[in-house]
């Protein structure tokens, strides 16, 4: 059969298919130019995940599209560290706005119970922790509250040993998190929600929660491969690790007081908080520091 030249346009669906693969090719080229031995890989039957230790190279995805970028957050603790993590070499103008919420309505109470570091936590510390939490629940017997357990292990221990088990609500994994939160908010009883994962992104205004407890300092989990590689990458990694704990504390402090006329009290039980605060005081926002009660 003789060859017949066909100069008609390809079907539209094939054109879009070509565009899709051209875009994919561009993404793969960018990906392979980034990935090196500073990345980690996590592999399973369902998917492969690649994560950089830091995102300095990838920061260009944020700021390459314009001459200036405006970033707003309650937890940009240090302009220099924020810029370094994103690979921004230019000077950064940084302005911190004071809180409009009265400090009297959001006390952050240091209630040292024990050293809850992994090296020192023991049965005695756990028993004192539960007794202290029960005392707080007695004090707030008519209020709803939130307990930041930081780990599922501590959550399970509190559930098993507290005298207030009837008031306590929890979830066993991340997939149950949203359901547990909805049920907690909907309840008209003075229930208390235990969770290791509600440090941010939730809005417990008014009677949704009048108190909260931070059981231990919320350092990132070194069992996570990316976190571990960051921490052991050098001084910048250790600085990031400490700032993440500061950031988590600041985020937690804001979960239950959501407006100028709202109120609620936060208790931190880890006796390491005083020493950590003294070491990192310059990085805590003024509005946070003015509410701390020793």
């Amino acid at each position: 059969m003789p060859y017949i030249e066909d100069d008609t346009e390809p079907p539209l669906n094939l054109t879009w298919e070509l565009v899709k693969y051209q875009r994919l090719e561009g993404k793969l080229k960018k990906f392979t130019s980034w990935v090196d031995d500073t990345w980690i890989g996590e592999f399973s039957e369902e998917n492969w995940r690649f994560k950089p230790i830091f995102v300095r190279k990838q920061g260009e995805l944020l700021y390459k599209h314009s001459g200036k970028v405006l970033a707003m957050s309650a937890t940009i603790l240090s302009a220099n560290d924020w810029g370094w993590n994103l690979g921004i070499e230019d000077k950064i103008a940084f302005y911190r706005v004071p809180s409009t919420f009265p400090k009297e309505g959001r006390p952050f109470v240091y209630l040292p119970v024990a050293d809850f570091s992994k090296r020192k936590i023991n049965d005695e510390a756990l028993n004192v922790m539960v007794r202290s939490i029960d005392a707080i629940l007695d004090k707030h017997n008519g209020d709803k509250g939130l307990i930041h357990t930081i780990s599922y292990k501590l959550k399970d221990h509190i559930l098993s040993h507290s005298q207030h088990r009837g008031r306590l609500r929890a979830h066993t994994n991340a997939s149950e998190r949203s359901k547990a939160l909805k049920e907690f908010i909907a309840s008209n009883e003075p229930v208390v929600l235990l969770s290791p994962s509600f440090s941010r992104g939730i809005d417990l205004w008014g009677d949704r929660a009048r108190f909260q407890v931070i059981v231990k300092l919320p350092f990132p989990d070194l069992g996570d491969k990316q976190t571990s590689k960051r921490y052991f990458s050098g001084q910048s990694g250790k600085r990031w690790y400490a700032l993440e704990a500061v950031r988590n504390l600041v985020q937690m402090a804001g979960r239950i007081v959501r407006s100028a006329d709202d109120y609620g009290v936060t208790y931190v039980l880890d006796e390491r908080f005083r020493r950590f605060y003294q070491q990192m005081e310059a990085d805590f926002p003024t509005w946070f520091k003015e509410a701390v009660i020793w």
Side-chain angles (χ1 to χ4, degrees):
M1 180 175 180
Y3 171 74
I4 301 175
E5 184 175 348
D6 185 359
D7 59 358
T8 59
E9 293 291 328
L12 187 60
N13 62 327
L14 290 180
T15 301
W16 281 115
E17 194 77 4
L18 176 62
V19 170
K20 182 178 73 172
Y21 284 109
Q22 286 174 335
R23 289 175 177 172
L24 176 60
E25 180 186 26
K27 291 178 180 179
L28 289 173
K29 286 181 177 179
K30 177 64 73 175
F31 173 73
T32 55
S33 71
W34 280 342
V35 176
D36 54 26
D37 57 4
T38 66
W39 285 53
I40 63 165
E42 297 176 345
F43 308 102
S44 68
E45 293 183 0
E46 291 79 22
N47 53 57
W48 291 7
R49 293 182 179 180
F50 296 89
K51 299 177 182 179
I53 299 178
F54 289 103
V55 294
R56 288 177 55 77
K57 290 182 181 179
Q58 295 73 44
E60 68 180 56
L61 297 176
L62 171 67
Y63 56 79
K64 73 176 183 178
H65 299 290
S66 64
K68 294 183 179 180
V69 174
L70 173 64
M72 295 185 291
S73 172
T75 53
I76 297 179
L77 305 174
S78 162
N80 290 335
D81 287 282
W82 180 83
W84 184 90
N85 284 324
L86 291 174
I88 299 175
E89 307 297 340
D90 298 331
K91 289 185 178 180
I92 300 173
F94 183 55
Y95 181 64
R96 180 170 278 162
V97 179
S99 174
T100 60
F101 299 178
K103 64 180 181 180
E104 294 78 13
R106 47 182 177 86
F108 191 94
V109 180
Y110 176 53
L111 191 65
V113 168
D115 183 331
F116 289 114
S117 61
K118 192 173 183 179
R119 291 175 300 160
K120 295 192 176 182
I121 194 167
N122 53 34
D123 290 342
E124 181 181 355
L126 292 173
N127 291 335
V128 176
M129 173 192 72
V130 173
R131 291 199 299 270
S132 300
I133 289 173
D134 282 346
I136 292 171
L137 296 184
D138 286 335
K139 180 178 180 179
H140 296 273
N141 61 350
D143 297 327
K144 295 171 71 174
L146 172 65
I147 299 178
H148 301 278
T149 63
I150 312 304
S151 72
Y152 282 103
K153 185 176 181 179
L154 286 178
K155 181 265 296 181
D156 291 339
H157 187 87
I158 296 167
L159 279 176
S160 301
H161 294 83
S162 173
Q163 296 178 357
H164 293 272
R165 287 189 288 274
R167 287 179 66 185
L168 303 181
R169 304 290 184 269
H171 57 95
T172 57
N173 54 54
S175 63
E176 297 177 357
R177 182 177 180 273
S178 295
K179 180 183 177 183
L181 178 62
K182 288 179 181 178
E183 291 176 351
F184 170 76
I185 290 174
S187 176
N188 293 319
E189 301 298 320
V191 293
V192 178
L193 180 60
L194 280 72
S195 175
S197 58
F198 282 125
S199 62
R200 61 190 70 194
I202 61 171
D203 187 12
L204 299 180
W205 49 266
D207 290 335
R208 288 181 171 188
R210 289 301 183 190
F211 73 97
Q212 61 181 342
V213 180
I214 302 172
V215 174
K216 62 178 290 188
L217 289 182
F219 288 105
D221 180 14
L222 286 174
D224 176 79
K225 289 172 64 177
Q226 184 186 35
T227 299
S228 180
K229 261 206 161 182
R230 281 185 181 179
Y231 179 78
F232 291 107
S233 65
Q235 288 304 312
S236 58
K238 290 178 172 58
R239 167 75 175 163
W240 167 85
Y241 187 75
L243 280 177
E244 280 299 292
V246 174
R247 186 173 291 109
N248 286 332
L249 286 166
V250 171
Q251 286 281 4
M252 289 173 177
R255 292 311 96 213
I256 64 172
V257 179
R258 308 296 292 173
S259 66
D261 56 358
D262 200 359
Y263 63 90
V265 56
T266 299
Y267 304 91
V268 58
L269 306 187
D270 196 331
E271 68 179 28
R272 295 176 296 163
F273 174 71
R274 180 187 290 274
R275 184 172 67 253
F276 180 71
Y277 177 89
Q278 291 171 345
Q279 292 171 347
M280 303 296 293
E281 184 174 0
D283 295 298
F284 280 97
T286 300
W287 63 261
F288 179 95
K289 292 188 284 189
E290 66 185 12
V292 176
I293 297 177
W294 301 104

